Amino acid sequence: MNEQIPVKNVTPVKVHKPSSGDGGKRHDSRSRIYVRAVQGPLETFRRFFGLIFLALFAVIPWIQYNGKQAVLLDIVEQRFTIFGLTLWPQDLTLLAYIFIVSAFALFFVTTFAGRVWCGFMCPQTTWVYIYTWFEEKIEGPRNKRIKLDARPMDADKFIRKTLKHTAWVAVALLTALTFVGYFTPIGALFINFFTFSTSSWAAFSVLFFAVCTYANAGYMREIMCTHICPYARFQSAMFDKDTFTVSYDAHRGEQRGPRPRKLSHEQVQEKGLGDCIDCNLCVQVCPTGIDIRNGLQYECINCGACIDACNGVMDKMGYPKGLISFTSEERLSGGTTHIIRPKLIGYFIVLLIMVGLLIADIVTRIPLAVDIIRDRNALYRETNDGLIENVYTIKVLNKSQTTQTYTISVEGLPEYRFYGEQEVTVKGGEVFSTPISVATDPYNLEDVVTEIMFTVQTTTIDGDVVTVNEPTKFIYR
């Protein structure tokens, strides 16, 4: 009982958290996070990466394939067209595989490199940076924006605010039109929207997503990352001591504090100071307003802005870079990072398996679906010449992108007569429905219910024979 609990002196860290502001307003000049612009390799890479995904998002719905919009997710028609592939509700397993592959790819990347999806690829982050760019160009850098928001409304402030919000609204509207263009023909959507002749649902969708984009990227910003997005909450389940995250090297940085630039690195260390000069630039450039020196926090989106800011300061001070870097907890504690480890291998194996199943499902997918619906008004009827007749409705779904001709036949019924079209032509991605009837002599029927098979067959442009057999019943009495 005489043993004392060891006490460690910890340097207090100023936490950069938004205050409640007067009246509890979240976005007044005292509570907003004013993100400072930063330059560096990671910032350049993030902008380049973001522009690639932004360009893909904007261009893909305009691409034409076989005279049609290449990517069209038509919810009304329950038909998803992705270049030469058409997905229907019957292809739900294929969509499930796509979502599962995406999920395990995210798990794998998170286990290896932390929350880099949020920092480099998330649409929320990309659009926030777009809105911040307009904000900086119109209202000025961080310090000027703070002063602009703090002063009373005047002509200059009114003009700048009007220009900024006009640009935000324009970006939001273009974003919404492009997004809705994935679900309805985009060319007609743009023309009809600006000529006020679009449908009410399309107009509502565009305005709804425009408001969401404007609110999320213009006002909510870090709130989406820290409070609304579920990824911030469950990402810790994938982290381990070998996960690469944006981290501050406390052993090298402490004891922090200001110092003259003329002092050499060795002289600073002799005074008991670490490399951190407590300039707070790492806090000012953080889009979620955290202080990375407090350690790993769920709000961190691994964008690396603080790395670029800190490396710039280290260059000016003549210190080695890497005080803040992408590193692992294991390395910071003096150990060696283990890149290949059981958790990462497990995610990779599952990812490969799911990708294999997805590819197999696509390769073995039959570009034809047949549905047989019996006539509900009568189980059977007797024709004038004494035959027993059953009436059906056959639906032929052409899942390919080319027009196909199909032949229809019946198996399992002796000496039958077929009434209706036995050869039908169906355009790519469409459904053909036609009533048909089958009749036979009752003396040929041994049971009340006879199992029969409708066979639909076609030959593709590649010469492959596609056959689908759909079972049904022929009823008598």
Side-chain angles (χ1 to χ4, degrees):
M1 297 298 294
N2 294 327
E3 294 183 1
Q4 293 183 348
I5 299 176
V7 179
K8 180 181 179 180
N9 292 325
V10 179
T11 303
V13 177
K14 181 181 178 182
V15 181
H16 181 73
K17 290 291 183 182
S19 60
S20 59
D22 295 336
K25 294 181 180 179
R26 169 65 182 82
H27 292 288
D28 62 340
S29 59
R30 288 184 56 193
S31 64
R32 281 191 57 193
I33 294 177
Y34 292 87
V35 181
R36 180 171 182 157
V38 63
Q39 298 293 330
L42 285 173
E43 177 68 16
T44 301
F45 178 74
R46 182 173 61 250
R47 291 183 180 181
F48 175 75
F49 212 67
L51 285 175
I52 289 177
F53 277 89
L54 184 63
L56 289 174
F57 168 76
V59 170
I60 285 176
W62 293 98
I63 299 175
Q64 297 291 308
Y65 183 81
N66 288 336
K68 298 180 181 179
Q69 187 169 320
V71 178
L72 182 59
L73 313 177
D74 196 334
I75 296 177
V76 176
E77 297 292 333
Q78 298 183 354
R79 177 176 59 193
F80 290 0
T81 301
I82 305 174
F83 289 88
L85 182 66
T86 302
L87 302 180
W88 299 82
Q90 297 91 332
D91 300 311
L92 183 61
T93 55
L94 190 60
L95 293 175
Y97 282 139
I98 293 174
F99 288 131
I100 293 173
V101 167
S102 301
F104 276 97
L106 182 62
F107 298 161
F108 175 78
V109 171
T110 302
T111 303
F112 177 73
R115 204 176 168 184
V116 290
W117 159 263
C118 299
F120 291 85
M121 292 178 284
C122 178
Q124 171 72 13
T125 303
T126 302
W127 262 258
V128 166
Y129 276 110
I130 293 173
Y131 272 48
T132 304
W133 184 86
F134 279 105
E135 199 171 52
E136 291 174 352
K137 296 301 179 183
I138 297 173
E139 295 184 354
R142 180 177 183 271
N143 292 336
K144 289 187 177 181
R145 298 203 305 273
I146 294 175
K147 293 179 181 179
L148 181 69
D149 285 349
R151 78 187 193 205
M153 182 64 70
D154 54 24
D156 177 65
K157 182 176 180 178
F158 177 79
I159 292 174
R160 290 180 184 274
K161 292 291 183 182
T162 302
L163 287 175
K164 181 186 75 172
H165 288 283
T166 301
W168 284 5
V169 169
V171 172
L173 189 59
L174 288 174
T175 300
L177 282 167
T178 303
F179 181 74
V180 176
Y182 279 85
F183 301 91
T184 187
I186 191 169
L189 174 66
F190 267 78
I191 295 174
N192 294 337
F193 184 83
F194 289 108
T195 57
F196 304 101
S197 57
T198 187
S199 66
S200 57
W201 276 110
F204 171 79
S205 299
V206 170
L207 295 176
F208 174 78
F209 287 111
V211 170
C212 289
T213 303
Y214 177 81
N216 290 346
Y219 290 96
M220 300 184 71
R221 295 189 177 181
E222 78 282 353
I223 296 177
M224 290 293 299
C225 303
T226 59
H227 297 293
I228 298 178
C229 178
Y231 183 45
R233 302 296 177 177
F234 68 77
Q235 61 170 329
S236 59
M238 292 164 274
F239 279 27
D240 55 39
K241 292 184 177 182
D242 295 300
T243 299
F244 287 95
T245 59
V246 175
S247 303
Y248 166 71
D249 190 346
H251 296 290
R252 176 185 158 189
E254 305 297 330
Q255 179 77 12
R256 74 186 66 153
R259 75 289 308 269
R261 189 184 298 183
K262 62 182 180 181
L263 292 180
S264 66
H265 196 206
E266 292 75 15
Q267 290 174 320
V268 169
Q269 291 177 337
E270 290 175 359
K271 291 180 176 292
L273 291 175
D275 287 357
C276 179
I277 66 173
D278 204 20
C279 63
N280 275 337
L281 282 181
C282 58
V283 178
Q284 295 176 16
V285 301
C286 180
T288 58
I290 65 170
D291 192 327
I292 195 62
R293 296 171 295 180
N294 288 334
L296 181 62
Q297 299 153 73
Y298 77 89
E299 296 96 338
C300 178
I301 62 173
N302 266 23
C303 65
C306 55
I307 297 178
D308 285 333
C310 187
N311 284 342
V313 173
M314 294 296 104
D315 270 343
K316 293 178 181 178
M317 297 299 297
Y319 299 166
K321 296 180 180 180
L323 180 59
I324 303 176
S325 63
F326 271 102
T327 188
S328 66
E329 182 183 348
E330 185 70 26
R331 196 201 70 81
L332 288 177
S333 61
T336 302
T337 302
H338 301 89
I339 296 179
I340 300 176
R341 50 197 189 273
K343 181 189 288 188
L344 196 64
I345 294 174
Y347 281 133
F348 184 69
I349 291 174
V350 175
L351 178 60
L352 286 181
I353 293 173
M354 299 313 300
V355 170
L357 291 174
L358 172 62
I359 295 175
D361 199 353
I362 294 176
V363 171
T364 59
R365 179 174 175 268
I366 299 176
L368 170 63
V370 178
D371 190 18
I372 305 294
I373 304 173
R374 285 187 50 84
D375 184 17
R376 298 179 181 178
N377 295 324
L379 294 178
Y380 71 94
R381 69 185 184 90
E382 188 174 349
T383 63
N384 294 331
D385 50 359
L387 300 179
I388 301 302
E389 182 182 44
N390 280 203
V391 179
Y392 308 88
T393 298
I394 184 169
K395 292 186 177 182
V396 179
L397 170 58
N398 182 3
K399 293 184 178 181
S400 69
Q401 293 292 312
T402 58
T403 301
Q404 296 290 137
T405 299
Y406 302 94
T407 57
I408 306 172
S409 59
V410 178
E411 297 179 3
L413 194 65
E415 300 179 10
Y416 69 89
R417 294 183 185 179
F418 191 99
Y419 301 98
E421 298 183 72
Q422 285 192 275
E423 187 173 279
V424 297
T425 300
V426 186
K427 294 183 178 179
E430 293 189 358
V431 180
F432 181 85
S433 179
T434 182
I436 59 175
S437 61
V438 180
T440 188
D441 195 303
Y443 293 103
N444 295 329
L445 303 174
E446 298 179 357
D447 298 316
V448 175
V449 177
T450 303
E451 296 288 342
I452 65 173
M453 189 84 67
F454 277 90
T455 300
V456 180
Q457 190 174 81
T458 186
T459 302
T460 65
I461 57 175
D462 298 326
D464 298 327
V465 178
V466 178
T467 304
V468 172
N469 297 316
E470 187 67 20
T472 187
K473 293 178 173 53
F474 188 91
I475 299 177
Y476 172 47
R477 294 179 185 175

